[in-house]
């Protein structure tokens, strides 16, 4: 079966492990892999929160433990390594030690286990957080290209760990012949993502605040709201994960949208979608992360002949509607 057939999702006959399958991206990815006909094992500390997993087998395992990683990656052709201790800025800017410890253990043990079990392909979900803060001090962000990650100075412990795990996969690929694939994800959003509890990211948090607001309320936005980001719709992200996995590019690839918006504009779009014109924005103190960040998809386009294309204003509609239904309006 050629890569092209796989990209179009017509059929599949691989045995695939998806770690983090109880989480947002992992759950969507499992669903898509099943539609393509693959055999899928999902692995996580927890079952998916909002809908049952469609995996053929779902194992509750703690991937910080080497023997659990061996069970997770047994008898599979390919591993999508998505498990991470993770959250939005409100989480990652506080829990540095815990995040570094947990994610380093997860990634080193999963990679070594995949090697020992003879998996032939391995995709690591890295992050735009690997890029140096010094390149992200301006709201009119110059889009980040893959080589910009060096000289290394990631934003926080989460970013440092991602960068080390990228390197680890590169070394394992070179020394042991596993086909390593690395995507640097930029702010993915969509239905079935965490929207409360402290780990949620800006789009989901703002959708929740708008959906729960009473008429005339002001919606809290952290900082002055002029910080900028690009946001990638989950269906585009899953499509990209599949294309990169079955493609042949060995180094890191940005996987994000190039549509840069301020957080104020993001909040405005969500208010528009809600149809509640009498809400306004209230700026409060809070962690903002870097001032401006955008993805440069040049290498992704050259490599895959494809890039994420869902406009933010379109992807936010199902996202808002789902969160609105969850908070009971
Ligand atoms: P998520 O938090 O929804 O999913 C991660 C899953 O990993 C969770 O279900 C969690 O329970 C699981 N996990 C954590 N520790 C574990 C352990 N010890 N053993 C087994 N499972 C464990 O996050 P997501 O948004 O689906 O992100 C998936 C991957 O993509 C992560 O690696 C994340 O760092 C990366 N990423 C995501 C984004 C984004 O915007 N969503 C951006 C950049 C990078």
């Amino acid at each position: 079966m050629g890569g092209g057939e796989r990209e179009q999702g017509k059929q599949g006959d691989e045995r695939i492990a998806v770690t983090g399958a109880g989480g947002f991206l992992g759950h969507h990815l499992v669903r898509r892999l099943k539609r393509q006909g693959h055999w899928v094992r999902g692995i996580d500390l927890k079952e998916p929160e909002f809908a049952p997993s469609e995996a053929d087998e779902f194992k509750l395992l703690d991937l910080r433990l080497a023997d659990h990683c061996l069970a997770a990656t047994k008898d599979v052709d390919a591993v999508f390594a998505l498990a991470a201790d993770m959250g939005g800025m409100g989480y990652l800017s506080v829990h540095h030690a815990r995040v570094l410890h947990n994610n380093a253990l997860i990634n080193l043990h999963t990679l070594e286990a995949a090697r020992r079990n003879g998996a032939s392909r391995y995709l690591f979900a890295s992050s735009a957080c690997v890029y140096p803060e010094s390149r992200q001090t301006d709201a009119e962000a110059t889009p980040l290209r893959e080589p910009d990650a060096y000289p290394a100075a990631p934003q926080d412990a989460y970013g440092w760990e991602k960068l080390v795990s990228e390197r680890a996969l590169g070394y394992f690929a070179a020394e042991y012949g596993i086909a390593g694939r690395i995507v640097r994800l930029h702010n993915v959003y969509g239905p079935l993502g965490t929207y409360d509890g402290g780990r949620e990211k800006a789009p989901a948090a703002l959708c929740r605040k708008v959906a729960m607001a009473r008429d005339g309320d002001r919606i809290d936005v952290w900082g002055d709201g002029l910080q900028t980001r690009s946001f990638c719709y989950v269906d585009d992200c899953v499509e990209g994960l599949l294309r990169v996995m079955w493609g042949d590019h060995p180094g890191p690839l940005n996987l994000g949208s190039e549509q840069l918006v301020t957080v104020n504009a993001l909040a405005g779009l969500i208010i528009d979608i809600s149809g509640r014109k009498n809400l306004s924005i209230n700026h409060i103190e809070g962690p903002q992360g870097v001032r401006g960040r955008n993805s440069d998809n040049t290498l992704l386009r050259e490599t895959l002949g494809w890039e994420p294309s869902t406009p933010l204003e379109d992807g936010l509609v199902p996202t808002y509607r789902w969160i609105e239904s969850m908070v009971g309006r």
Side-chain angles (χ1 to χ4, degrees):
M1 187 171 60
E5 283 172 320
R6 286 197 182 99
E7 281 170 15
Q8 290 158 32
K10 284 185 185 155
Q11 56 179 313
D13 54 8
E14 306 277 341
R15 291 177 59 86
I16 296 173
V18 176
T19 79
F24 170 48
L25 291 182
H27 181 70
H28 282 274
L29 176 62
V30 167
R31 192 144 78 178
R32 182 72 193 279
L33 288 167
K34 281 311 300 167
R35 295 227 173 99
Q36 294 187 331
H38 297 288
W39 184 91
V40 183
R41 176 185 299 136
I43 305 104
D44 206 298
L45 286 171
K46 60 174 176 66
E47 305 262 356
E49 220 170 308
F50 307 115
S53 178
E54 293 174 32
D56 297 276
E57 184 176 288
F58 195 94
K59 284 185 178 284
L60 290 174
L61 294 169
D62 183 345
L63 297 171
R64 290 170 296 186
L65 305 172
D67 56 335
H68 286 214
C69 290
L70 281 169
T73 57
K74 195 168 179 331
D75 298 331
V76 295
D77 306 303
V79 177
F80 284 90
L82 269 52
D85 185 359
M86 128 90 164
M89 281 319 300
Y91 184 79
L92 296 178
S93 65
V94 177
H95 300 293
H96 297 280
R98 181 205 294 180
V99 165
L100 180 77
H101 174 260
N102 288 342
N103 291 343
L105 289 176
I106 289 170
N107 286 318
L108 287 174
H109 285 318
T110 306
L111 185 51
E112 169 65 2
R115 178 191 76 79
R116 285 175 59 184
N117 277 323
S120 56
R121 280 178 187 267
Y122 191 104
L123 179 142
F124 173 57
S126 184
S127 165
C129 291
V130 299
Y131 291 110
E133 280 195 80
S134 59
R135 289 185 180 273
Q136 304 173 73
T137 53
D138 192 345
E140 288 178 29
T142 303
L144 294 158
R145 296 170 312 121
E146 288 78 359
D148 292 339
Y150 297 97
Q155 189 183 342
D156 47 34
Y158 173 76
W160 277 107
E161 189 284 328
K162 289 288 191 194
L163 202 56
V164 170
S165 288
E166 285 188 5
R167 305 293 297 201
L169 179 52
Y171 293 128
F172 270 60
E175 288 177 34
Y176 302 123
I178 193 165
R181 306 285 177 257
I182 298 165
V183 289
R184 292 182 180 157
L185 303 176
H186 292 245
N187 300 311
V188 188
Y189 70 98
L192 309 185
T194 303
Y195 61 88
D196 65 3
R199 287 182 187 246
E200 65 278 18
K201 299 179 155 207
L206 290 169
C207 286
R208 184 200 70 230
K209 289 176 188 178
V210 169
M212 294 183 73
R214 286 174 310 228
D215 285 347
D217 271 1
R218 301 174 78 198
I219 304 303
D220 287 343
V221 165
W222 289 349
D224 62 10
L226 298 176
Q227 62 273 33
T228 53
R229 293 291 185 278
S230 68
F231 298 96
C232 180
Y233 189 56
V234 64
D235 289 357
D236 284 340
C237 177
V238 167
E239 179 70 25
L241 293 175
L242 296 171
R243 287 175 182 256
V244 173
M245 177 65 115
W246 307 125
D248 55 12
H249 187 79
L253 284 170
N254 284 327
L255 178 51
S257 161
E258 290 184 339
Q259 184 184 355
L260 190 71
V261 293
T262 64
V263 173
N264 284 338
L266 173 68
L269 281 173
I270 294 168
I271 291 172
D272 284 351
I273 290 166
S274 76
R276 306 178 64 208
K277 298 194 181 344
N278 57 359
L279 301 178
S280 56
I281 292 173
N282 181 37
H283 295 115
I284 59 165
E285 291 265 319
Q288 298 172 51
V290 295
R291 188 65 177 159
R293 174 190 292 149
N294 199 0
S295 177
D296 182 328
N297 289 346
T298 307
L299 189 57
L300 187 76
R301 278 192 294 272
E302 283 172 10
T303 306
L304 300 180
W306 172 92
E307 68 181 311
S309 60
T310 306
L312 182 59
E313 43 280 26
D314 292 354
L316 281 174
V317 174
T319 309
Y320 178 78
R321 296 286 168 237
W322 179 75
I323 292 175
E324 186 184 44
S325 74
M326 294 303 289
V327 300
R329 288 188 66 91

